[in-house]
Amino acid sequence: MTVNTNSATDAIATCMNWQTINWEACVMEVRKLQLRIARWEKLGNRRKVKALQWLLTHSFSAKCLAVKRVSQNRGHRSAGIDGIVMTSPKDKWDMLQSLKRRGYKSLPLKRVYILKSDGKQRRPLGLPCMKDRVMQALYTMALLPISEMKADWNSYGFRPERGTADAIEQLFIGLATKRASSWVLEGDIKSCFDLISHEWILDNIPMDKKILSQWLKSGFVESGKLFPTNHGTPQGGLASPTLANMVLDGIEDLIGRKFGSFKLDGDYSKQRKNPILFVRYADDFVVIGRTSEVLEHEVKPMIQSFLKERGLELSETKTKITQIHDGFDFLGQNIRKYRMRNGTEKLLIKPSKANIKTFLTSIRKIIRSARSMSQTELIRLLNPKIRGWAYYHRSVVSSEIFSAVDKEIWKALWKWSVRRHPNKGKRWIKSKYFHRIELRDWIFRAKIKEHGITVTDTLFFANNIAIIRHTKIKQQATPFDPAYERYFQERTSQKWRNNKSGKLKVMALWKRQRGICPVCLEKVTKLSNWVVYWHKNKLEGGSDRLDNLSLLHPKCARGNKPKFVIPHRSSQ
């Protein structure tokens, strides 16, 4: 039997090629090109932007990052209609070599369905094949800087450095004061991703029209049959969120030019008698005005006309006008202004009843289905879900709700424990599954031995999460503008204060510097406060590694550079 040594050698060489890629250099090169695209887009030089887009989509670094992103995201094991997935370094390298514009042909989407949040209706998704996903990731890198430069200031969905907490905080700013408007238009766009006009996208989205047309007209396969796609963007493709944002951007500007705006500066910064606040997250938006008549007869028709040009329309059942004292739900949270006993009014934002019900239903379903599961396995399954839900709601009025949720989870776990031992007494069951830790009793806890070491798993309590007010991002800030580089560094530093992994990194910096600020040579303490300083900015290719960071006093970080960097103790 003979062995083909040449093919084995080629496979090893291919693996080495993928594993020896300099990822920091790739990120730096792509970042520089994106900043140049954003700069020329801001200046209005379309010819220069188009040339830089071509340069980015044909660069080796961008192709590497596109393959890496697709091969590491949540859906990397879900194949398209061709059944191909990227699992080995050889697969990734082969995909990298095949990324060429010439001869590229998009394959039809694989139609799958997922349940909506209500657990009853199903949402259709179109899964592209791996090569189409990589091509979308590649061309989205060149489109994202343009999208950021054109984006509405109060658009927070599917944008870098922004999230739901920013949208909720913006609503709090616009509704909490005494003189704030009290009428709310809750908007929902009917089947947004499925009905967007292809003609409008091809005429207005600044990217390679041939590639864009391939994505839009690829069709989808369901039950072995091919169906055409005459409108909409594939909800499941990597480019869809950016495309949808660019389609909807402009509503805030349209409203602001007529009614005034809450923007800080610009052509229409002066607030008029009836200013309008517009906040959007993906295809859900909220408009706040002084009277219901203005929202119903002036603002709503303007939005309908804007959407009609793009082949979209408002959902009549989900679009409604509400008084702020009645409250409304947005992004899983309830926003309502309460009348207090002393005659004042207070705006409170809490997790919505529907969101709490959906969360507890999913937790109970997991517990009921875990009849044969060990206590340790159940704890490890529940903890990420409880922790994620609690962190999502940690910036609003959630303390009492966290306690109530913990109580409901305890009830479900007690039923689970009793069902497992029908012939045992309650005291025996309590001693087996629930334990005392310091002054707290009835804690769901398990101990097992793994590799000869005793490991303790404890159920996570939502009420252990401290309520911390979120600091909203500046409306006009974008990571593609060099003027906001220091601003985003300060936000990262602030996030690390409230993040477990960030606190560990800060502690490592503090120990490395022996608690001394490298600028003023004074002690860094909680009382003196601190910020993280990047020696080399991310725009220049810097990273979050410890050798690029220092811990400084806030005053020392303003326009100063450290006099020295204390090396690691191991290097002394």
Side-chain angles (χ1 to χ4, degrees), residues 511-518 550 564-568 572:
K511 289 181 178 179
R512 188 187 70 171
Q513 298 174 194
R514 301 183 192 135
I516 298 173
C517 173
S550 287
F564 66 93
V565 178
I566 300 177
H568 292 279
Q572 292 181 346

Side-chain angles (χ1 to χ4, degrees), residues 260-310:
S261 172
F262 283 81
K263 285 187 176 181
L264 300 178
D265 53 21
D267 297 334
Y268 48 91
S269 60
K270 293 182 179 179
Q271 296 185 17
R272 302 178 183 177
K273 292 182 179 179
N274 189 20
I276 299 294
L277 174 63
F278 177 85
V279 177
R280 179 170 66 84
Y281 188 92
D283 58 340
D284 295 326
F285 63 86
V286 170
V287 187
I288 299 170
R290 297 286 187 198
T291 64
S292 60
E293 290 76 15
V294 170
L295 295 177
E296 179 67 39
H297 302 299
E298 296 188 53
V299 175
K300 187 176 178 181
M302 289 176 63
I303 296 175
Q304 288 174 327
S305 177
F306 178 92
L307 295 176
K308 189 175 181 180
E309 296 178 10
R310 293 149 174 79

Side-chain angles (χ1 to χ4, degrees), residues 434-446:
F434 298 88
H435 306 277
R436 174 182 288 274
I437 300 178
E438 296 179 354
L439 299 178
R440 193 166 187 173
D441 201 1
W442 290 92
I443 294 178
F444 197 67
R445 190 177 192 182

Side-chain angles (χ1 to χ4, degrees), residues 391-408:
Y391 270 98
Y392 180 84
H393 294 289
R394 71 180 302 185
S395 59
V396 296
V397 184
S398 307
S399 184
E400 292 183 2
I401 293 174
F402 284 171
S403 298
V405 164
D406 286 336
K407 184 177 180 180
E408 292 299 319

Side-chain angles (χ1 to χ4, degrees), residues 419-541:
R419 186 171 57 241
R420 287 168 68 91
H421 305 282
N423 299 322
K424 295 289 186 179
K426 293 182 179 180
R427 289 187 179 181
W428 185 92
I429 295 172
K430 192 267 183 187
S431 63
K432 179 175 177 62
Y433 294 104
F434 298 88
H435 306 277
R436 174 182 288 274
I437 300 178
E438 296 179 354
L439 299 178
R440 193 166 187 173
D441 201 1
W442 290 92
I443 294 178
F444 197 67
R445 190 177 192 182
K447 291 184 179 181
I448 61 169
K449 284 192 175 182
E450 290 184 349
H451 309 292
I453 302 173
T454 302
V455 179
T456 302
D457 288 303
T458 305
L459 184 73
F460 183 82
F461 286 95
N463 200 32
N464 287 344
I465 297 294
I467 305 300
I468 299 176
R469 181 76 175 270
H470 177 75
T471 303
K472 192 188 78 69
I473 190 173
K474 289 183 178 179
Q475 296 177 123
Q476 67 274 35
T478 170
F480 295 103
D481 189 343
Y484 292 100
E485 174 65 15
R486 183 58 193 165
Y487 170 73
F488 282 109
Q489 288 182 1
E490 291 174 354
R491 282 185 66 82
T492 302
S493 177
Q494 183 63 34
K495 288 178 183 178
W496 285 358
R497 294 173 185 268
N498 307 323
N499 183 283
K500 185 176 180 181
S501 60
K503 287 180 179 178
L504 293 175
K505 185 171 288 189
V506 169
M507 183 56 65
L509 282 174
W510 189 84
K511 289 181 178 179
R512 188 187 70 171
Q513 298 174 194
R514 301 183 192 135
I516 298 173
C517 173
V519 174
C520 64
L521 306 183
E522 297 290 337
K523 282 284 185 179
V524 177
T525 63
K526 289 184 179 180
L527 187 62
S528 67
N529 209 345
W530 52 265
V531 296
V532 178
Y533 179 88
W534 275 255
H535 296 274
K536 189 175 184 181
N537 291 336
K538 291 185 179 180
L539 299 181
E540 302 170 351

